[in-house]
Amino acid sequence: QVQLVESGGGLVQPGGSLSLSCAASGIIFSIHTMGWYRQPPGKQRELVAIITSGGTTHYADSVKGRFTISRDNVKNTVYLQMSSLKPEDTAVYYCKANSPFRVESYWGQGTQVTVSS
C-alpha cells in the first residue's frame, strides 16, 4: 500500500546538474519528514538531506551549498536538486519517509546517479 518511487537518476558530467524526484502514496505525506540518502559503491548509506513537515531543512556538510531539498504537499513529492556535481557524488540515491516520532518509516527502491566524464 505504501510506495515511494524515485526518478531522475542518470549519467552526468562533473560540474553538471541533476534533479531527483520521489513520489509517495499510501501515507499522509504532509506530516512525514522526508529525506534523501545515498550509498556509494562499497560504502555505507549516508544521510544527504532532510526536510521536516514544517519545511525545516538539514544537509550533510559534503553537499551543503550544492544540493537543495524541497517538497510539494499537493503532489506528494519530495525533490533533490543537485548542482556542481563531483565524481564522489556517484551513488544510489534513496528516498525515505518518517512518520511523527519515527513510529513508521519507509524506503524507496533507489535510483542510480553516476558523475563521470
Side-chain angles (χ1 to χ4, degrees):
Q1 186 175 14
V2 177
Q3 196 169 23
L4 304 177
V5 181
E6 300 100 332
S7 61
L11 176 65
V12 62
Q13 293 187 30
S17 299
L18 204 63
S19 184
L20 306 181
S21 300
C22 172
S25 60
I27 62 171
I28 306 174
F29 181 83
S30 61
I31 67 171
H32 281 70
T33 293
M34 303 299 299
W36 287 97
Y37 293 71
R38 68 186 182 187
Q39 187 166 14
K43 295 186 177 182
Q44 290 186 313
R45 189 173 299 185
E46 64 181 10
L47 175 69
V48 175
I50 58 172
I51 182 166
T52 70
S53 61
T56 302
T57 59
H58 303 274
Y59 298 91
D61 288 341
S62 59
V63 308
K64 202 169 295 182
R66 300 188 298 121
F67 291 11
T68 301
I69 188 171
S70 61
R71 66 191 296 161
D72 186 332
N73 288 344
V74 175
K75 297 181 178 179
N76 286 1
T77 301
V78 62
Y79 306 92
L80 185 68
Q81 300 176 70
M82 305 181 292
S83 62
S84 301
L85 284 162
K86 306 173 181 179
E88 50 262 47
D89 294 319
T90 295
V92 177
Y93 284 71
Y94 297 91
C95 177
K96 187 185 181 184
N98 284 120
S99 67
F101 307 104
R102 302 188 70 180
V103 174
E104 298 170 319
S105 63
Y106 309 96
W107 289 93
Q109 83 288 349
T111 185
Q112 177 71 47
V113 173
T114 302
V115 184
S116 176
S117 59

